[in-house]
Structures are given as C-alpha cells and as structure tokens.
Coordinates of all heavy atoms in Angstrom, one line a residue:
G154 N -52.0 -2.8 -125.4 CA -53.0 -2.4 -124.5 C -52.5 -1.9 -123.2 O -51.4 -2.2 -122.8
K155 N -53.3 -1.0 -122.6 CA -53.0 -0.4 -121.3 C -54.1 -0.7 -120.3 O -55.3 -0.3 -120.6 CB -52.8 1.1 -121.4 CG -51.6 1.5 -122.4 CD -50.3 1.1 -121.8 CE -49.1 1.6 -122.7 NZ -47.8 1.1 -122.2
L156 N -53.8 -1.4 -119.3 CA -54.8 -1.7 -118.3 C -55.6 -0.5 -117.8 O -56.8 -0.6 -117.6 CB -54.2 -2.6 -117.2 CG -55.2 -3.1 -116.1 CD1 -56.2 -4.1 -116.7 CD2 -54.4 -3.8 -115.0
E157 N -54.8 0.5 -117.4 CA -55.5 1.7 -116.8 C -56.5 2.3 -117.7 O -57.6 2.7 -117.2 CB -54.4 2.8 -116.5 CG -53.4 2.3 -115.4 CD -52.3 1.4 -115.9 OE1 -52.2 1.2 -117.2 OE2 -51.6 0.8 -115.1
K158 N -56.3 2.3 -119.0 CA -57.3 2.8 -119.9 C -58.6 2.0 -120.0 O -59.7 2.6 -119.9 CB -56.7 2.9 -121.4 CG -57.6 3.5 -122.4 CD -56.9 3.6 -123.7 CE -57.9 4.2 -124.8 NZ -57.3 4.4 -126.1
I159 N -58.4 0.7 -120.0 CA -59.7 0.0 -120.1 C -60.4 -0.1 -118.8 O -61.7 -0.1 -118.8 CB -59.4 -1.5 -120.7 CG1 -58.7 -2.4 -119.7 CG2 -58.7 -1.4 -122.0 CD1 -59.0 -3.8 -120.0
V160 N -59.7 0.0 -117.7 CA -60.4 0.1 -116.4 C -61.2 1.4 -116.3 O -62.4 1.4 -115.9 CB -59.3 0.1 -115.3 CG1 -60.0 0.4 -113.9 CG2 -58.7 -1.3 -115.1
T161 N -60.6 2.5 -116.8 CA -61.3 3.7 -116.8 C -62.6 3.6 -117.7 O -63.7 4.1 -117.3 CB -60.4 4.9 -117.3 OG1 -59.3 5.0 -116.5 CG2 -61.2 6.2 -117.4
N162 N -62.5 3.0 -118.8 CA -63.6 2.9 -119.8 C -64.7 2.0 -119.2 O -65.9 2.3 -119.3 CB -63.1 2.3 -121.1 CG -62.2 3.3 -121.9 OD1 -62.1 4.4 -121.5 ND2 -61.6 2.8 -122.9
I163 N -64.3 0.9 -118.6 CA -65.3 0.0 -118.0 C -66.0 0.6 -116.8 O -67.2 0.5 -116.6 CB -64.7 -1.4 -117.6 CG1 -64.2 -2.1 -118.9 CG2 -65.6 -2.3 -116.9 CD1 -63.4 -3.3 -118.7
K164 N -65.3 1.3 -116.0 CA -65.9 2.0 -114.8 C -66.9 3.0 -115.3 O -68.0 3.2 -114.8 CB -64.8 2.7 -114.0 CG -64.0 1.7 -113.1 CD -63.0 2.5 -112.2 CE -62.3 1.6 -111.3 NZ -61.3 2.4 -110.4
K165 N -66.5 3.8 -116.4 CA -67.4 4.8 -116.9 C -68.7 4.2 -117.5 O -69.8 4.7 -117.3 CB -66.7 5.6 -118.0 CG -67.5 6.8 -118.5 CD -67.7 7.8 -117.3 CE -68.5 9.0 -117.8 NZ -68.7 10.0 -116.7
F166 N -68.5 3.0 -118.2 CA -69.7 2.3 -118.7 C -70.6 1.9 -117.5 O -71.8 2.1 -117.6 CB -69.2 1.1 -119.4 CG -70.4 0.2 -119.9 CD1 -70.9 0.4 -121.2 CD2 -70.9 -0.8 -119.1 CE1 -72.0 -0.3 -121.6 CE2 -72.0 -1.6 -119.6 CZ -72.5 -1.3 -120.8
Q167 N -70.0 1.4 -116.5 CA -70.8 1.0 -115.3 C -71.6 2.2 -114.7 O -72.7 2.1 -114.3 CB -70.0 0.3 -114.3 CG -70.7 -0.1 -113.0 CD -71.8 -1.1 -113.2 OE1 -72.0 -1.6 -114.3 NE2 -72.5 -1.5 -112.2
E168 N -70.9 3.4 -114.6 CA -71.5 4.6 -114.1 C -72.7 5.0 -115.0 O -73.8 5.3 -114.4 CB -70.5 5.7 -114.0 CG -69.4 5.5 -113.0 CD -68.3 6.6 -113.1 OE1 -68.5 7.6 -113.9 OE2 -67.3 6.5 -112.4
I169 N -72.5 5.0 -116.3 CA -73.6 5.3 -117.2 C -74.8 4.4 -117.1 O -75.9 4.8 -117.0 CB -73.1 5.4 -118.7 CG1 -72.1 6.5 -118.8 CG2 -74.2 5.5 -119.6 CD1 -71.3 6.5 -120.2
R170 N -74.4 3.1 -117.0 CA -75.5 2.1 -116.8 C -76.3 2.3 -115.5 O -77.5 2.2 -115.5 CB -74.8 0.7 -116.8 CG -75.7 -0.5 -116.5 CD -74.9 -1.7 -116.3 NE -75.7 -2.9 -116.0 CZ -75.2 -4.1 -115.6 NH1 -73.9 -4.2 -115.6 NH2 -76.0 -5.1 -115.3
T171 N -75.6 2.5 -114.4 CA -76.2 2.6 -113.1 C -77.1 3.9 -113.1 O -78.2 3.8 -112.6 CB -75.2 2.7 -112.0 OG1 -74.4 1.5 -112.1 CG2 -75.8 2.8 -110.6
K172 N -76.6 5.0 -113.6 CA -77.3 6.2 -113.5 C -78.4 6.4 -114.5 O -79.5 6.8 -114.1 CB -76.3 7.4 -113.7 CG -76.9 8.8 -113.6 CD -75.9 9.9 -113.9 CE -76.5 11.2 -113.8 NZ -75.5 12.3 -114.0
N173 N -78.2 6.0 -115.7 CA -79.2 6.2 -116.8 C -80.0 5.0 -117.3 O -81.0 5.2 -118.0 CB -78.4 6.9 -118.0 CG -77.7 8.2 -117.7 OD1 -78.4 9.1 -117.2 ND2 -76.5 8.2 -117.9
Y174 N -79.5 3.8 -117.0 CA -80.2 2.6 -117.4 C -80.3 1.7 -116.2 O -79.9 0.5 -116.3 CB -79.5 1.9 -118.5 CG -79.3 2.8 -119.8 CD1 -78.2 3.7 -119.9 CD2 -80.2 2.8 -120.8 CE1 -78.1 4.5 -121.0 CE2 -80.1 3.6 -121.9 CZ -79.0 4.5 -122.0 OH -78.9 5.3 -123.1
P175 N -81.0 2.1 -115.1 CA -81.0 1.3 -113.9 C -81.8 0.0 -114.1 O -81.6 -1.0 -113.3 CB -81.7 2.2 -112.9 CG -82.5 3.1 -113.7 CD -81.7 3.4 -114.9
N176 N -82.6 -0.1 -115.1 CA -83.4 -1.3 -115.3 C -82.8 -2.2 -116.4 O -83.4 -3.2 -116.8 CB -84.9 -1.0 -115.7 CG -85.6 -0.2 -114.6 OD1 -85.4 -0.6 -113.4 ND2 -86.3 0.8 -115.0
S177 N -81.7 -1.8 -116.9 CA -81.0 -2.6 -118.0 C -80.7 -4.0 -117.4 O -80.2 -4.2 -116.3 CB -79.7 -1.9 -118.4 OG -79.0 -2.8 -119.3
K178 N -81.0 -5.0 -118.3 CA -80.7 -6.4 -117.9 C -79.4 -6.9 -118.6 O -79.1 -8.1 -118.6 CB -81.8 -7.3 -118.3 CG -83.1 -7.0 -117.6 CD -84.2 -7.9 -118.0 CE -85.5 -7.7 -117.2 NZ -86.6 -8.6 -117.5
I179 N -78.6 -6.0 -119.1 CA -77.3 -6.4 -119.8 C -76.4 -7.1 -118.7 O -76.4 -6.7 -117.6 CB -76.6 -5.2 -120.4 CG1 -75.5 -5.6 -121.3 CG2 -76.1 -4.2 -119.4 CD1 -74.9 -4.5 -122.2
I180 N -75.7 -8.1 -119.1 CA -74.8 -8.8 -118.3 C -73.4 -8.4 -118.7 O -73.0 -8.5 -119.9 CB -74.9 -10.3 -118.4 CG1 -76.3 -10.7 -118.0 CG2 -73.9 -11.1 -117.6 CD1 -76.7 -12.2 -118.3
T181 N -72.6 -7.9 -117.8 CA -71.2 -7.6 -118.1 C -70.2 -8.6 -117.5 O -70.4 -9.1 -116.4 CB -70.8 -6.2 -117.6 OG1 -71.1 -6.1 -116.2 CG2 -71.6 -5.1 -118.3
R182 N -69.2 -8.9 -118.3 CA -68.3 -10.0 -117.8 C -66.9 -9.6 -118.3 O -66.6 -9.2 -119.4 CB -68.6 -11.3 -118.4 CG -67.7 -12.5 -118.0 CD -68.0 -13.7 -118.9 NE -69.4 -14.1 -118.8 CZ -70.1 -14.6 -119.8 NH1 -69.5 -14.8 -121.0 NH2 -71.4 -14.9 -119.7
V183 N -65.9 -9.7 -117.3 CA -64.5 -9.7 -117.7 C -64.1 -11.1 -117.9 O -64.2 -11.9 -116.9 CB -63.6 -8.9 -116.6 CG1 -62.2 -9.3 -116.8 CG2 -63.8 -7.4 -116.7
A184 N -63.6 -11.4 -119.1 CA -63.2 -12.8 -119.3 C -61.7 -12.8 -119.9 O -61.4 -12.0 -120.8 CB -64.1 -13.5 -120.3
G185 N -60.9 -13.6 -119.3 CA -59.5 -13.7 -119.7 C -59.2 -15.1 -120.2 O -59.8 -16.0 -119.9
V186 N -58.1 -15.1 -121.0 CA -57.6 -16.4 -121.5 C -56.5 -16.8 -120.6 O -55.5 -16.1 -120.3 CB -57.0 -16.2 -123.0 CG1 -56.4 -17.5 -123.5 CG2 -58.1 -15.7 -123.9
K187 N -56.6 -18.0 -120.0 CA -55.7 -18.5 -119.0 C -54.5 -19.1 -119.8 O -54.6 -20.2 -120.4 CB -56.4 -19.6 -118.2 CG -55.5 -20.1 -117.0 CD -55.4 -19.0 -115.9 CE -54.9 -19.6 -114.6 NZ -53.5 -20.1 -114.6
V188 N -53.4 -18.4 -119.7 CA -52.2 -18.9 -120.5 C -51.0 -19.2 -119.5 O -50.0 -19.8 -120.0 CB -51.7 -17.8 -121.5 CG1 -52.8 -17.7 -122.6 CG2 -51.5 -16.5 -120.9
N189 N -51.0 -18.7 -118.3 CA -49.9 -19.0 -117.4 C -50.3 -19.0 -115.9 O -51.5 -18.7 -115.6 CB -48.7 -18.0 -117.6 CG -49.1 -16.6 -117.3 OD1 -49.8 -16.3 -116.3 ND2 -48.7 -15.7 -118.2
N190 N -49.4 -19.4 -115.1 CA -49.7 -19.5 -113.6 C -49.7 -18.2 -112.9 O -50.1 -18.2 -111.7 CB -48.7 -20.5 -113.0 CG -48.9 -21.9 -113.5 OD1 -50.0 -22.3 -113.8 ND2 -47.8 -22.7 -113.5

C-alpha cells in the first residue's frame, strides 16, 4: 500500500460527497489496527 494514493482517493470521495450528495447521511471513518507504540 501507498499512503499518498489512498489519501488522494479518500479526499476525492469527500469532494464528490460534498458537491453532489450534500444530504448524504453516510458515515466515513478511518480505522486502524493498533499494533505498536
């Protein structure tokens, strides 16, 4: 995986959501697995 790629994709998703689906009730979450300090 490449962090920069998924950041670009998630940002674009948010742009589409905000512009074209302003009433969408979808909940978006970044969730990670905690494996180290």
